[in-house]
Amino acid sequence: QVQLVESGGGLVQPGQSLTLSCRTSGFTFGTYTMAWFRQREGKQREGVVGINPSGSTNYADSVKGRFTISQDNAKNTLILQMNNLLPEDTAIYYCVADSRQWGPVSLLQSEAYSIWGQGTQVTVSA
């Protein structure tokens, strides 16, 4: 049974940093396409960044240069380092995965992912 469990959300001030983790189980880490999505209040869910098994990534324009996705293979954990956070980054962040090998263009499309975590709240406010 594939499971994704996010952690690391919280309340921070604008300009600060936060690290989200997604602990995975039930599949061979590194063989699935994975991504972070977020849903802001009143908005549709949107892709933040995705990574495929080949290591290709695709970042949303709104987070380029501020967010970094990485994988801790020893801990089967997907990580999202978020720097210089802005109030508009406030959202519920979801870790997602799929066994299919998606190319970079598809990495930010929610239809590409069949497995979703429960989400973790990130609030950026002064």
Side-chain angles (χ1 to χ4, degrees):
Q1 179 184 358
V2 176
Q3 284 193 317
L4 308 173
V5 180
E6 303 98 331
S7 62
L11 171 64
V12 296
Q13 295 184 341
Q16 292 187 328
S17 299
L18 206 57
T19 303
L20 302 184
S21 297
C22 173
R23 180 169 49 86
T24 73
S25 60
F27 65 98
T28 302
F29 188 75
T31 66
Y32 276 36
T33 299
M34 298 194 69
W36 290 95
F37 277 68
R38 69 184 180 186
Q39 187 162 22
R40 293 179 279 186
E41 190 171 350
K43 303 285 188 179
Q44 285 192 331
R45 203 171 288 181
E46 61 178 348
V48 176
V49 57
I51 183 168
N52 67 17
S54 298
S56 296
T57 59
N58 191 5
Y59 288 84
D61 288 342
S62 59
V63 305
K64 281 180 182 176
R66 300 189 298 121
F67 290 13
T68 303
I69 191 171
S70 63
Q71 295 173 304
D72 185 337
N73 294 325
K75 297 181 179 180
N76 295 338
T77 299
L78 185 72
I79 297 166
L80 181 65
Q81 177 65 42
M82 305 185 293
N83 298 327
N84 190 23
L85 283 160
L86 306 171
E88 49 264 43
D89 294 318
T90 296
I92 299 174
Y93 284 72
Y94 297 91
C95 175
V96 302
D98 196 273
S99 61
R100 291 167 288 185
Q101 314 287 302
W102 296 113
V105 173
S106 301
L107 291 178
L108 298 182
Q109 297 175 351
S110 61
E111 310 83 62
Y113 300 94
S114 57
I115 306 161
W116 291 70
Q118 83 286 351
T120 185
Q121 176 71 47
V122 172
T123 303
V124 185
S125 175

